[in-house]
């Protein structure tokens, strides 16, 4: 087997078990051991940096790098390799439009997320469904560059919001019944992996990735050793190099043992 020098980890249902709303102890211990062995560990999640931080992820696991917002930005060893921000003119104009039309929204920065509270019932419904840390208040926003804007809205608003986002060439994605997300380009987890491998002068054969969902397939297609959790989607399992046990049955730990990266 090739020497593994870096491993990328999805967050939800891979590292973080939503049944218990916590991390499995075997995974925390395993990742800390990998880090001490000199293997770089990188989180690669659709979550924002703010959400990951507020869920205490970084206090438990010593990550070397972060690919956040599904590939919207990539950082390694304290360096930002890229961040695909919305044009400042575009984001400022959109915020004015949303304010004048009384939409609530989240502003997704590289490190922090801010909320404008309008249509409180939609916001409350969203946070009842999604286990997501509540953002900072909009008064704390200091005109930072934005990776994405999430708008609390219903499907009846889609035509209006699509027309407004199209003015700026932004991608429109209704990812929830009460929320849409606007991004400057399609974000892919594989873009972050590619940037980090190039920066570290590593090959796909030196990389492993753990995931469970369809958006992890781009990771599996790039690295040589893609590992899908047993609780993952069938499409992800089909794209993976190896399928391990479920998250609650220590799937990550068992796979690391199998590949010889840890001793039992």
């Amino acid at each position: 087997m090739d020497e593994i020098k870096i491993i990328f980890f999805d967050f939800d249902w891979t590292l973080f078990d939503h049944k218990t709303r916590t991390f499995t102890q075997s995974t925390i211990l395993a990742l800390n051991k990998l880090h001490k062995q000199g293997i770089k560990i990188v989180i690669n999640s659709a979550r924002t940096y703010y959400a990951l931080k507020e869920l205490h992820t970084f206090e438990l696991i010593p990550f070397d790098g972060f690919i956040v917002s599904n590939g919207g930005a990539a950082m390694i060893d304290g360096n930002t390799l890229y961040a695909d921000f919305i044009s400042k003119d575009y984001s400022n104009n959109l915020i004015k439009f949303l304010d004048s039309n009384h939409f609530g929204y989240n502003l997704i920065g590289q490190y922090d997320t801010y909320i404008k509270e309008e249509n409180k019932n939609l916001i409350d419904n969203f946070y009842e469904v999604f286990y997501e840390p509540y953002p900072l208040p909009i008064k704390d926003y200091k005109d930072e560059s934005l990776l994405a804007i999430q708008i609390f809205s219903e499907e009846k608003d889609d035509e209006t919001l699509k027309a407004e986002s199209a003015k700026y060439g932004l991608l429109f994605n209704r990812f929830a019944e009460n929320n849409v997300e606007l991004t400057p380009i399609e974000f892919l987890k594989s873009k972050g992996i590619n940037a980090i491998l190039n920066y570290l002068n590593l090959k796909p054969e030196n990389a492993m990735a753990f995931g469970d969902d369809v958006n992890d397939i781009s990771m599996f297609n790039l690295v040589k050793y893609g590992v899908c959790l047993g609780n993952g989607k069938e499409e992800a399992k089909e794209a993976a190099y190896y399928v391990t046990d479920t998250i609650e049955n220590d799937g990550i730990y068992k796979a690391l043992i199998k590949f010889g990266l840890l001793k039992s």
Side-chain angles (χ1 to χ4, degrees), residues 49-91:
Y49 185 96
Y50 174 83
L52 295 168
K53 177 185 67 176
E54 292 300 306
L55 289 169
H56 307 292
T57 314
F58 309 149
E59 298 169 23
L60 298 170
I61 302 168
F63 287 103
D64 299 285
F66 313 93
I67 301 169
V68 295
S69 296
N70 209 51
M75 300 88 86
I76 187 75
D77 295 337
N79 301 304
T80 296
L81 303 188
Y82 73 85
D84 288 318
F85 292 127
I86 298 171
S87 158
K88 191 61 72 70
D89 287 343
Y90 293 176
S91 61

Side-chain angles (χ1 to χ4, degrees), residues 4-9 31 34-43 62-65 76-78 196 199-200 202 206-208:
I4 300 299
K5 296 183 177 181
I6 188 167
I7 307 179
F8 301 88
F9 293 91
L31 269 61
L34 291 176
H35 189 262
K36 288 178 181 177
Q37 291 170 199
I39 296 175
K40 288 192 178 293
I41 54 175
V42 178
I43 196 160
F63 287 103
D64 299 285
I76 187 75
D77 295 337
I196 288 175
Y199 178 82
L200 297 174
L202 295 177
N206 301 128
M208 180 178 282

